[in-house]
Amino acid sequence: MMNKILSVSVASYNVEQFIKQNIESFIGTEVSSKIELLIIDDGSKDSTAAIAKEYELKYPETVKLVQQENAGPGSTVNTGLKNATGKYFRMVDGDDWVNKEDLVRYINFLENTEVDVVYTDYCLVDNDTGEEVPQILEFEKKNVILPYDEVCDKLDVMMHNVTYKTSILKDNGFKMDNCFYTDTEYLLFPVKNLETICVLDCMIYMYRVSLATQSININSMVRNKKMHITVLEHIAEDYVASKNTMTKAKKDMVRNRLIGICGTQLSIILAQKPSKDTLQELKDFVEYLKGMDEDIYQSFLEYKTMKILKGSGYLLFYPFSIMHRKRTGAN
């Protein structure tokens, strides 16, 4: 079997109506044999695994089904990385797919480079109307390899943009939590090990939106608040452990993203029904940040809402929570 250029970890849970489109977007091109498509079935209850098995039997050089008991989105990436043999690695959700038109140029580029991380464009596709909205990375120095530090603070990227050299992840023990909200771990944990980057002028990821099961709103975030704080804490721990050895550019980028995650945690707390328990939850979070990192703590207190809450001795917590719940549509 030839050496694979790209390993793709496909997180698959009850996506029987979408998985065919996902798999078929990778096959039937001149570079398909250079791709390792790892369908990570996360304990699906429908026919996802059976469909993937059919493709594995038909296209054994490209498709591989890996089954596991249900353990959450982050676990599928860990499993995918464990099984990956390709030079590069990326994630694609089982209900999404890739753009065949740019796939050949993308794979050929990966085959002929040694860059640590590659950013590509992605496209939002409305599941109901089929409308496509390209998400183009606005960057003047595309298609050239640059120092990572020169680029990292100039682009706001998502999981859909990113392809890593597999060795960067494997050699440094990269591992995600087995829960939701791990996309940020995927973006931030490897930062300290990245030296070079290329922003490639290719549209690769086709991201399906408007699915009822996919909506990320404040109510779902409140329901899964323990997962969010777990991810936040692990990113914070990694930042504190690494910040003294990171370059200023890397440290600033991770710091700014972490402060943003803290702001989301504040929103989650305020979106709950105001009570003594939720007030205590906020106070405990503030104390956690104070003990975790003084700079992050002080930056968090610069949020206008936190300035007012802290300045009032938290007396305004209840009205602020009521207003926030109304504004965000919290239950």
Side-chain angles (χ1 to χ4, degrees):
M1 182 180 290
M2 69 174 294
N3 293 331
K4 298 296 184 179
I5 302 304
L6 177 68
S7 294
V8 182
S9 179
V10 181
S12 305
Y13 179 71
N14 292 347
V15 288
E16 62 181 7
Q17 66 186 117
F18 305 117
I19 194 64
K20 286 185 179 181
Q21 182 181 21
N22 176 293
I23 296 173
E24 289 182 359
S25 69
F26 289 97
I27 59 180
T29 76
E30 63 189 74
V31 296
S32 294
S33 62
K34 299 177 183 181
I35 299 171
E36 178 179 56
L37 191 63
L38 301 166
I39 310 298
I40 313 300
D41 177 58
D42 193 32
S44 296
K45 305 300 183 184
D46 63 3
S47 60
T48 296
I51 295 170
K53 187 64 179 179
E54 291 177 9
Y55 279 96
E56 181 183 45
L57 293 172
K58 190 173 181 180
Y59 303 98
E61 66 175 6
T62 299
V63 182
K64 180 180 180 181
L65 171 64
V66 182
Q67 293 181 271
Q68 64 179 33
E69 293 184 6
N70 183 260
S75 72
T76 65
V77 181
N78 297 333
T79 300
L81 185 60
K82 181 179 178 181
N83 285 272
T85 65
K87 179 182 177 184
Y88 284 90
F89 180 89
R90 77 168 302 150
M91 298 160 52
V92 177
D93 286 335
D95 51 2
D96 299 327
W97 68 101
V98 296
N99 173 31
K100 271 189 176 180
E101 291 183 9
D102 283 358
L103 189 62
V104 173
R105 187 162 77 90
Y106 168 63
I107 296 298
N108 286 337
F109 174 82
L110 296 179
E111 185 172 19
N112 294 288
T113 188
E114 294 299 329
V115 69
D116 290 345
V117 61
V118 178
Y119 290 172
T120 51
D121 301 321
Y122 70 96
C123 185
L124 300 176
V125 185
D126 190 285
N127 186 60
D128 301 317
T129 67
E131 179 185 1
E132 297 184 358
V133 183
Q135 304 295 300
I136 307 297
L137 290 170
E138 299 297 337
F139 188 67
E140 60 184 19
K141 296 180 180 179
K142 287 192 172 183
N143 307 317
V144 295
I145 296 174
L146 298 166
Y148 180 78
D149 285 17
E150 184 178 315
V151 177
C152 64
D153 66 338
K154 295 178 173 63
L155 292 167
D156 185 19
V157 297
M158 299 179 67
M159 174 271 288
H160 322 302
N161 299 107
V162 181
T163 305
Y164 291 113
K165 184 180 278 189
T166 306
S167 59
I168 293 286
L169 303 180
K170 286 198 170 191
D171 293 351
N172 293 288
F174 173 81
K175 188 175 182 181
M176 291 169 64
D177 284 298
N178 295 343
C179 61
F180 299 125
Y181 312 119
T182 51
D183 284 6
T184 311
E185 292 181 335
Y186 188 72
L187 294 173
L188 297 184
F189 282 164
V191 164
K192 56 184 175 291
N193 304 115
L194 301 175
E195 298 300 329
T196 54
I197 186 174
C198 180
V199 182
L200 191 63
D201 187 20
C202 278
M203 177 77 68
I204 300 299
Y205 199 112
M206 307 299 284
Y207 181 30
R208 192 186 308 270
V209 294
S210 298
L211 290 175
T213 58
Q214 188 185 44
S215 60
I216 303 269
N217 57 43
I218 194 64
N219 294 313
S220 65
M221 296 191 82
V222 168
R223 287 194 300 272
N224 296 302
K225 65 177 183 177
K226 289 183 179 179
M227 294 184 185
H228 191 269
I229 192 65
T230 294
V231 168
L232 187 158
E233 288 176 352
H234 289 170
I235 292 172
E237 289 166 9
D238 188 68
Y239 170 76
V240 171
S242 307
K243 68 175 185 176
N244 291 333
T245 58
M246 282 195 288
T247 62
K248 183 179 186 302
K250 292 186 177 78
K251 184 173 73 173
D252 288 350
M253 193 273 277
V254 176
R255 169 191 176 276
N256 292 337
R257 290 296 293 264
L258 181 53
I259 292 168
I261 301 168
C262 291
T264 301
Q265 188 63 28
L266 172 61
S267 178
I268 291 171
I269 293 171
L270 290 174
Q272 299 173 81
K273 291 181 180 179
S275 66
K276 289 182 180 179
D277 289 341
T278 53
L279 173 57
Q280 189 60 49
E281 188 176 331
L282 176 58
K283 290 180 177 179
D284 290 345
F285 181 60
V286 171
E287 285 303 305
Y288 162 74
L289 293 180
K290 186 176 182 180
M292 183 269 293
D293 184 84
E294 181 66 21
D295 177 46
I296 298 294
Y297 167 68
Q298 292 296 338
S299 297
F300 179 68
L301 294 184
E302 287 301 309
Y303 277 116
K304 183 178 179 181
T305 297
M306 278 309 305
K307 274 186 175 181
I308 297 173
L309 289 176
K310 201 82 164 46
S312 72
Y314 295 104
L315 292 175
L316 294 176
F317 174 79
Y318 286 86
F320 263 56
S321 178
I322 291 169
M323 287 188 295
H324 183 73
R325 285 167 52 78
K326 184 176 180 179
R327 185 170 65 250
T328 59
N331 292 335

